[in-house]
Amino acid sequence: MSVREDLGNRMPGGDAGLIVAVLVVLYVAYVLAGVGLGYSLRGQLNTVAVLTFYIGAFAMLALALNLHWGYTGLFNIGIVGFMAIGIYVMALVSKPLYQSGGAAQVGGLGLPIVVGIVAGMVAAALLGLVVALPALRLRADYLAIVTIAMSEIVRFSFLSGEFQRFTLFGRRVGFGGGSGLILDFTDPLQAFFETFGLWNAYLGFVDAFGAIVPTNPKPVVDGLVYGLVLLLFVAAYYWLLKRTGESPFGRVLKAIREDEDVANSLGKDTNQFKIKSFMLGCALMGLAGILWFMTQGAVTPNTFRPRITFFVWIALIIGGAGSNTGSVLGGAVFAAVLYQGPRYFKNLVDAALPSFNAPSSFGPAVAPLLSNLNPAPLFYYTVDSIRQLQLVLMGLVLIWLMHNRPEGMLGHRKETAAGIPLTSPRTRTAATDGSTGGDEGGRPTDAEGGEGGERDE
Amino acid sequence: MSKTGNDADATETDPNAAENPADAPILGGGGPTVTAERPLEVEGLRKSFGGITAVDGASFHVEGGTLTGLIGPNGAGKSTTFNLITGMLSPDEGTVAFNDEDITGMEPHAIANKGLVRTFQIARELEDMTVLENMMLAPKGQRGEKLWRSVTPGVRDDVIAQEEELLERVWDVLEFFDIDHIADEYAGNLSGGQRKLLEMARALLTDPDMLLLDEPFAGVNPSLEKRLLKHIHGLKEQGYTFLLVEHDMDLIMENCEHVIVLHQGRILTEGTPADIKSNEEVIEAYLGGNV
Ligand SMILES: Nc1ncnc2c1ncn2[C@@H]1O[C@H](COP(=O)(O)OP(=O)(O)O)[C@@H](O)[C@H]1O
Ligand SMILES: [Mg+2]
């Protein structure tokens, strides 16, 4: 009956300890590589900031997807569509009002960033509802088809001229079409600190940081702090989804994933549960899209291609669907190793061998290997094409995982779907008959329960 | 002391069911009080799959507080009848009434919440959930099934308190069925017989008035079969109504007070076990069919 012996239990600090340990390993690897190649402190800090950013983004997305797939068995392959809706609606609401002569072709409603974030999440949830209503009643694979189609429809809608510019509440707003949308609202970090009246304190901190990075420390600090903010959001997602999973609500979700008919015939309105789970996950994906893109200065629809959806799936599969801890780990490992890893590796090679000239195509790259066993051109060629090879690498990792670790890094790992630890409520031995359990009055015929004690052998 | 007679208009989530789980009629208590004399009435039920007519105008009823058998050779339409009654399938024709209320075409969860709960012919456990998780799923009126209650600080305390109560009750039932020693096991690891026990125990935790059991003894060893039967009889004494599908004639004859014989989707005959035993048509159907 030792079903829950796993890494998390052997780590000091349990799951949190495990997550921290993995993060430390990843950061140390990055920093050591940087040190070995003589990166400046500024470069190191920027590397750490970028790494943290993507760890945060993918951990959030994997957690949200875990709610859909790991808990409820909903096959959502339109994640990027919900992210796009999130950031675009947020921009629509929070961009300043249109002013002729400004850099931006269109304006927004000029509302505070927080309002925009909430609106973006609500829009993503509502889009989820629209997608889910027809699809959830059909077989599971229909949801897959509908979600991926939806994500492409969303992208094409933002690309189209129709929505490039329109009028809403008498304001000139729009999504900018194919040329993109300038996100000219207040710097989100500034808005964040101003909400708590801490903006000046923050600026003071940036100045103090000048002792470490003398020239122009603000971008460095901004990057690091924004990464930290994302990690805070990861913690919030984790907290929310853990409570969601460890509850009667989560229990029904788990039952739906296992066998929806059973849950239904036990009196659970499974469509209601699926819709709620789906909408919550979509809202969280919308928020992740907002947090990912709102500091980027501008967004274009073609950023939101299905590949991002597949990245999130790989992250979840690495971590193991069904586990929130696994989702965070999967997001972190994916971001550090598969997403940022190859790019960082290329930078390392560029720095180590600054003078190399990569062949421009495959032919010249292999020819030296064949003619005089010189592998260098092929190596350079490979490194140079690392962005394309990244996808191949992900595919290989996926295949390896499917064969060797189909249940993810943590192995078979299912978090208990209950608000309390499910152990025997009997504090004393129930050996004496007659007094089994209920000590409350009103059950005088308890002795009949003694039947449970008899055994036909 | 247990239910009052308002089952027929009970809402989907019956708060009383969970408010006082200790009053559950499973152990000791008075059992369900069935309002209708004939809790289940099936009228002219018909269902075809393409060319096959699985159920062909079946009409029958089940008396309250009885153990009624539904027998028939393989393919007679017994499971399909269950699916039609419980809303898993909707009938082409005919009506189903439970406690004098027309439930034809209702969703399975709505029917289950009215107190009519089924088990499956092939035990359908939630394999990646432990026995306890399986059991905790079943009770009605769980406050924490509302997402906002489960996540909101403070409000969640209520949910936790109810979970504690439910666990007590679940444990009672586990002990009653003698499966408390496998409480932490994943349901997927259970033996066939243990699954059948779990499935019945789980169904009982929904506070049903009537249980439809589809071949609960298939693949169950004889000693476990005896134990299951004893549980069923015990529960019947408490007022539960059972409709039992089984193709072992002897078992039905020994345990049911009323037997309905289904053959090629139609009611061939019904009556007391003695009537059925001496009915030549039944013997022919069984010998001609695939027993
Ligand atoms: N979902 C279905 N699709 C097609 N045919 C079905 C379906 N369910 C049952 N049948 C057919 O209906 C008939 C009755 O089946 P069933 O109700 O399972 O019989 P029983 O439970 O009495 O053995 C059989 O011929 C079976 O093949
Ligand atoms: Mg059958």
Side-chain angles (χ1 to χ4, degrees):
Chain A
M1 252 148 279
S2 53
V3 286
R4 291 189 207 95
E5 268 184 350
D6 63 17
L7 226 54
N9 291 355
R10 280 182 267 133
M11 277 306 290
D15 282 3
L18 185 62
I19 292 173
V20 169
V22 169
L23 287 182
V24 166
V25 169
L26 295 174
Y27 280 106
V28 166
Y30 265 74
V31 169
L32 282 184
V35 168
L37 286 148
Y39 269 31
S40 70
L41 180 60
R42 189 187 183 91
Q44 286 280 20
L45 291 175
N46 278 333
T47 304
V48 165
V50 171
L51 179 64
T52 312
F53 179 88
Y54 284 113
I55 287 177
F58 281 109
M60 279 188 281
L61 288 164
L63 278 166
L65 179 59
N66 185 43
L67 175 65
H68 284 169
W69 175 244
Y71 273 106
T72 326
L74 296 172
F75 196 56
N76 176 2
I77 47 173
I79 300 165
V80 75
F82 298 107
M83 296 167 63
I85 287 286
I87 183 66
Y88 269 94
V89 169
M90 183 266 180
L92 179 78
V93 172
S94 291
K95 268 165 68 73
L97 301 178
Y98 175 72
Q99 279 174 332
S100 54
Q105 297 287 310
V106 293
L109 299 178
L111 295 170
I113 284 188
V114 191
V115 178
I117 291 176
V118 172
M121 290 174 71
V122 169
L126 290 179
L127 179 66
L129 177 68
V130 171
V131 169
L133 272 182
L136 289 183
R137 295 175 176 275
L138 303 168
R139 288 215 336 273
D141 10 346
Y142 285 94
L143 184 66
I145 296 165
V146 172
T147 48
I148 191 160
M150 173 281 303
S151 82
E152 285 294 88
I153 290 170
V154 165
R155 182 165 69 87
F156 284 117
S157 302
F158 288 139
L159 271 174
S160 82
E162 305 277 309
F163 299 111
Q164 193 165 354
R165 181 192 304 167
F166 53 93
T167 308
L168 186 67
F169 304 127
R171 310 286 188 205
R172 175 168 157 171
V173 298
F175 295 126
S179 51
L181 188 62
I182 297 176
L183 303 178
D184 51 353
F185 37 67
T186 331
D187 170 31
L189 212 49
Q190 183 175 346
F192 177 77
F193 282 110
E194 275 173 354
T195 321
F196 302 104
L198 290 172
W199 181 237
N200 283 326
Y202 178 70
L203 290 180
F205 174 71
V206 170
D207 277 344
F209 205 81
I212 306 174
V213 182
T215 48
N216 194 12
K218 188 152 181 300
V220 179
V221 181
D222 279 355
L224 288 171
V225 170
Y226 195 70
L228 270 181
V229 170
L230 289 197
L231 292 188
L232 282 183
F233 272 98
V234 171
Y237 273 43
Y238 186 91
W239 176 87
L240 176 70
L241 293 172
K242 191 171 156 66
R243 281 164 94 91
T244 303
E246 292 177 358
S247 75
F249 180 83
R251 199 147 62 220
V252 177
L253 297 189
K254 213 168 171 183
I256 290 172
R257 183 196 64 193
E258 295 287 297
D259 189 333
E260 186 174 350
D261 285 344
V262 169
N264 216 325
S265 37
L266 288 172
K268 312 299 172 190
D269 186 351
T270 51
N271 273 332
Q272 288 292 324
F273 284 90
K274 285 199 290 187
I275 287 172
K276 283 182 192 165
S277 160
F278 196 68
M279 289 178 71
L280 175 61
C282 291
L284 295 178
M285 287 168 182
L287 178 57
I290 293 169
L291 293 171
W292 182 331
F293 291 101
M294 74 176 170
T295 50
Q296 313 278 305
V299 279
T300 55
N302 282 335
T303 313
F304 300 94
R305 288 181 191 275
R307 58 191 290 166
I308 294 184
T309 297
F310 295 115
F311 291 165
V312 179
W313 270 95
I314 295 170
L316 182 67
I317 291 169
I318 291 174
S323 158
N324 288 322
T325 304
S327 304
V328 174
L329 291 178
V333 169
F334 174 83
V337 179
L338 291 177
Y339 191 77
Q340 278 297 299
R343 297 170 195 208
Y344 194 52
F345 179 70
K346 179 175 186 296
N347 290 347
L348 288 185
V349 174
D350 284 351
L353 309 164
S355 61
F356 86 82
N357 254 327
S360 58
S361 71
F362 190 64
V366 271
L369 179 66
L370 299 179
S371 53
N372 50 10
L373 292 179
N374 177 8
L378 181 59
F379 175 74
Y380 294 146
Y381 178 72
T382 309
V383 171
D384 204 47
S385 336
I386 206 108
R387 263 171 153 301
Q388 290 84 311
L389 287 174
Q390 197 174 17
L391 288 178
V392 177
L393 182 66
M394 286 178 193
L396 291 177
V397 168
L398 213 50
I399 292 171
W400 184 87
L401 273 173
M402 289 302 182
H403 277 279
N404 296 290
R405 229 41 223 185
E407 300 192 301
M409 275 167 65
L410 298 176
H412 187 83
R413 155 89 171 225
K414 299 284 154 14
E415 284 149 13
T416 306
I420 52 172
L422 291 184
T423 52
S424 166
R426 301 282 175 268
T427 41
R428 60 205 128 83
T429 44
T432 44
D433 50 7
S435 63
T436 40
D439 340 74
E440 310 93 339
R443 297 178 62 198
T445 47
D446 241 3
E448 282 176 26
E451 203 169 19
E454 289 174 40
R455 257 156 255 217
D456 303 337
E457 237 66 50
Chain B
M1 69 170 275
S2 59
K3 296 189 180 177
T4 46
N6 61 354
D7 288 301
D9 52 46
T11 45
E12 275 193 13
T13 46
D14 173 9
N16 296 325
E19 225 72 73
N20 304 309
D23 284 352
I26 289 151
L27 294 170
T33 320
V34 175
T35 46
E37 232 167 84
R38 299 172 163 188
L40 184 67
E41 292 223 42
V42 173
E43 198 55 57
L45 219 48
R46 190 184 306 275
K47 179 76 183 178
S48 324
F49 299 105
I52 307 165
T53 303
V55 177
D56 192 6
S59 302
F60 60 89
H61 69 264
V62 174
E63 307 260 343
T66 65
L67 175 47
T68 299
L70 179 64
I71 63 169
N74 266 337
K78 305 180 295 290
S79 295
T80 306
T81 304
F82 268 25
N83 287 337
L84 294 170
I85 294 173
T86 55
M88 308 280 295
L89 294 172
S90 44
D92 300 337
E93 278 173 42
T95 58
V96 181
F98 180 64
N99 283 340
D100 298 328
E101 183 188 1
D102 188 359
I103 57 164
T104 321
M106 282 190 183
E107 295 271 329
H109 62 87
I111 294 175
N113 277 314
K114 293 192 182 299
L116 180 60
V117 176
R118 58 98 50 92
T119 64
F120 292 91
Q121 178 169 359
I122 298 164
R124 289 169 79 166
E125 289 335 312
L126 305 165
E127 303 202 345
D128 246 357
M129 297 171 75
T130 66
V131 168
L132 269 175
E133 281 180 302
N134 264 275
M135 298 280 285
M136 294 282 287
L137 174 70
K140 279 193 268 195
Q142 298 192 36
R143 292 179 205 128
E145 283 178 8
K146 291 262 174 287
L147 174 59
W148 71 272
R149 282 182 183 279
S150 279
V151 298
T152 312
V155 182
R156 186 176 163 92
D157 297 346
D158 250 18
V159 172
I160 300 293
Q162 197 189 27
E163 291 271 90
E164 304 272 7
E165 288 170 23
L166 287 182
L167 185 60
E168 284 279 345
R169 180 172 164 220
V170 159
W171 203 267
D172 283 343
V173 179
L174 278 181
E175 283 176 344
F176 180 81
F177 279 91
D178 227 342
I179 45 176
D180 48 320
H181 60 286
I182 48 168
D184 293 329
E185 200 59 70
Y186 282 112
N189 298 340
L190 303 190
S191 72
Q194 288 170 331
R195 285 174 196 230
K196 292 280 183 184
L197 280 173
L198 171 56
E199 194 167 19
M200 202 191 298
R202 198 177 58 188
L204 273 175
L205 277 167
T206 63
D207 267 331
D209 292 333
M210 177 170 179
L211 281 167
L212 305 180
L213 307 177
D214 197 349
E215 306 206 14
F217 309 111
V220 171
N221 70 45
S223 86
L224 190 59
E225 176 179 310
K226 252 174 88 183
R227 226 167 79 208
L228 262 174
L229 272 169
K230 206 174 66 175
H231 290 320
I232 292 174
H233 281 292
L235 293 163
K236 196 187 78 176
E237 299 309 316
Q238 294 176 18
Y240 289 93
T241 306
F242 288 91
L243 180 61
L244 176 68
V245 162
E246 182 51 52
H247 62 224
D248 177 349
M249 282 282 250
D250 294 336
L251 189 148
I252 289 278
M253 297 303 165
E254 280 165 30
N255 291 283
C256 299
E257 48 255 76
H258 191 81
V259 180
I260 301 164
V261 185
L262 200 62
H263 182 52
Q264 293 178 348
R266 293 173 203 206
I267 306 297
L268 190 64
T269 182
E270 55 179 303
T272 62
D275 296 341
I276 303 297
K277 237 177 208 160
S278 56
N279 187 313
E280 285 182 12
E281 273 184 301
V282 175
I283 296 165
E284 209 171 291
Y286 262 81
L287 293 178
N290 173 5
V291 183

